[in-house]
Amino acid sequence: MTEIRNDIVRGVIAPGAPLGQEALAERFGVSRMPIREAIRHLETMGFVNVESNKRTHVAETSLNDFRDIYDMRLALECVAMRSAMAHLTNAQIDGAERIQQDIAEAGPLSFGQLNHAFHMTLYRPCNRPRLLSQVDILFNAADRYLCILKAPPGMRAKSDAEHIELIEACRKRDSAAAEACLRRHIGDAAALFEEQFAE
C-alpha cells in the first residue's frame, strides 16, 4: 500500500519500528491480506525486514546502505540510458522536458516522485524490464534518504541544470554526453548527501 511506503519514506514510521499486520489492517480499514502483500513488496524494495518468526520492522538507514543505493544507481542508470538512447523519440524527450518544468516549480514533497518520473521517461525506451525494475526499486530506496537528509544550498538549481543538460544530450542522441552528465548528476548528489552522515 502506497500509504505505508510514504509513511516510511517521510519518517512517520521510524526506522526500526515494528509493523504489526493487525494494527495496520485496523488503521487502513482493510483485511490482513493486502497488508501482507504490501509488506512483501516493501521487503523487496528494502524498506522492511521480515524476521524468521514473521515479525516485521522498518529497515534501519545507514551510510553503507546509502552508498550501496547510489553505487547501484550509478551503474544501472548509465546502462539504462545507453540502452534507451537509440530508441528515444522526440515525443518522449518532450515528455521529460515537461516533467522538468514541473520539477522546477515543485515543493520538497513532490520533488522525489517527479524526479523519478523524469528519469524513467528517458530510460523506459531501453525496453529492458528487469533492469528498469531494479532502477525503480533503487529510486524508491533513494527517495527515503532524500526525505531524511537535507538538500544542501544550491543543490536543486544544480540538479535542474543537469536535467536540462541531459535533455539536450538526448536531443542530439549523444550517448557519451548523456552518460557523462548522468554520472556527474548521480555521483555529485551522492557525495553532497554523504557529507551529512559525518555531521
Side-chain angles (χ1 to χ4, degrees), residues 16 73 107 167:
R73 276 193 63 193
I167 289 167

Side-chain angles (χ1 to χ4, degrees), residues 59-116:
E60 298 285 353
T61 55
S62 70
L63 176 56
N64 284 340
D65 184 48
F66 176 83
R67 284 175 173 159
D68 275 352
I69 290 164
Y70 273 83
D71 284 350
M72 292 168 72
R73 276 193 63 193
L74 193 56
L76 296 185
E77 289 182 48
C78 284
V79 172
M81 188 73 260
R82 264 197 317 273
S83 300
M85 187 63 77
H87 309 287
L88 265 173
T89 66
N90 289 333
Q92 288 162 332
I93 298 168
D94 289 344
E97 188 168 40
R98 283 192 297 274
I99 295 169
Q100 174 52 38
Q101 289 165 359
D102 291 339
I103 288 173
E105 300 170 6
L109 286 178
S110 55
F111 172 79
Q113 291 174 326
L114 287 168
N115 185 54
H116 184 176

Side-chain angles (χ1 to χ4, degrees), residues 82-148:
R82 264 197 317 273
S83 300
M85 187 63 77
H87 309 287
L88 265 173
T89 66
N90 289 333
Q92 288 162 332
I93 298 168
D94 289 344
E97 188 168 40
R98 283 192 297 274
I99 295 169
Q100 174 52 38
Q101 289 165 359
D102 291 339
I103 288 173
E105 300 170 6
L109 286 178
S110 55
F111 172 79
Q113 291 174 326
L114 287 168
N115 185 54
H116 184 176
F118 171 85
H119 284 274
M120 293 305 284
T121 298
L122 295 176
Y123 303 156
R124 204 167 284 115
C126 78
N127 198 27
R128 297 175 66 174
R130 187 181 294 275
L131 173 63
L132 292 172
S133 172
Q134 293 305 309
V135 169
D136 190 61
I137 288 169
L138 291 168
F139 255 107
N140 277 288
D143 198 27
R144 184 179 182 202
Y145 282 93
L146 294 182
C147 285
I148 294 167

Side-chain angles (χ1 to χ4, degrees), residues 2 16 20 53 76 114 121 128 131 136 153 159-161 165 176 186 192:
T2 306
N53 60 7
L76 296 185
L114 287 168
T121 298
R128 297 175 66 174
L131 173 63
D136 190 61
S159 176
D160 288 345
E165 184 183 340
I186 297 170
L192 286 168

